[in-house]
């Protein structure tokens, strides 16, 4: 009898452990499935001119038209914002001209960067209009052909 009681207790504990583990695995497998089914619509997908074409279009303008000095233009990186921007009820692709500068490494030796925005340009989703931000207002720019690069 002394040997039977510990064996029964051991089996009960093992049964409880296996039952608890099998329930945790079921929960883990269902959570990623629901997350994988979630899709996020990127509003810029609907634009006629987007991504690299938008950057190339903005780069086709002169320094003066972009409101940049030649030195700024040489240092700038042009990036497309992942979401559209609404201006006066119309949606635009936002292309940003920034200058990237490195900061001193932190205590862990990681270098971080600052992005200094030098210009913001807006291309309408239908590809018929381009504007440059000028403070709180927008200046229309003449529309160019999208360069083939």
């Amino acid at each position: 009898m002394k040997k039977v009681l510990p064996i029964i207790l051991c089996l009960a504990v093992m049964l409880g452990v296996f039952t608890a583990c099998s329930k945790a695995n079921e929960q883990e497998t269902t959570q990623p499935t629901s997350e994988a089914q979630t899709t996020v619509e990127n509003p810029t997908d609907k634009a006629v001119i987007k991504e690299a074409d938008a950057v190339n279009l903005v780069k086709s303008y002169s320094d003066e038209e972009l409101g940049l000095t030649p030195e700024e233009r040489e240092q700038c990186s042009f990036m497309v914002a992942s979401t559209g921007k609404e201006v006066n009820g119309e949606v635009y692709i936002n292309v940003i001209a920034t200058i990237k500068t490195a900061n001193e490494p932190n205590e862990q030796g990681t270098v971080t960067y600052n992005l200094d925005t030098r210009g913001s340009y807006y291309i309408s989703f239908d590809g018929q209009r381009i504007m440059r931000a000028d403070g709180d207002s927008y200046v229309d720019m003449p529309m160019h052909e999208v360069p083939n690069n």
Side-chain angles (χ1 to χ4, degrees), residues 57-113:
L57 175 61
V58 170
K59 284 182 172 181
S60 73
Y61 287 85
S62 69
D63 299 341
E64 185 179 334
E65 289 173 309
L66 294 176
L68 300 172
T69 66
E71 294 79 23
E72 288 175 326
R73 170 73 174 261
E74 190 174 310
Q75 295 175 356
C76 276
S77 297
F78 292 85
M79 300 178 281
V80 178
S82 61
T83 58
K85 174 160 172 90
E86 189 172 325
V87 177
N88 299 327
E90 193 173 343
V91 185
Y92 292 84
I93 293 283
N94 185 5
V95 179
I96 304 165
T98 63
I99 296 177
K100 179 172 112 174
T101 54
N103 296 316
E104 292 293 320
N106 62 17
E107 295 167 356
Q108 292 81 22
T110 305
V111 177
T112 58
Y113 297 89

Side-chain angles (χ1 to χ4, degrees), residues 17-67:
V17 168
F18 287 123
T19 303
C21 288
S22 68
K23 286 183 182 176
N25 286 341
E26 287 175 13
Q27 291 174 345
E28 288 176 17
T29 57
T30 57
Q31 287 177 346
T33 303
S34 65
E35 289 175 14
Q37 293 174 352
T38 304
T39 58
V40 177
E41 182 182 351
N42 184 351
T44 59
D45 289 342
K46 298 174 184 169
V48 174
I49 302 170
K50 57 188 168 206
E51 300 168 359
D53 287 339
V55 169
N56 290 334
L57 175 61
V58 170
K59 284 182 172 181
S60 73
Y61 287 85
S62 69
D63 299 341
E64 185 179 334
E65 289 173 309
L66 294 176

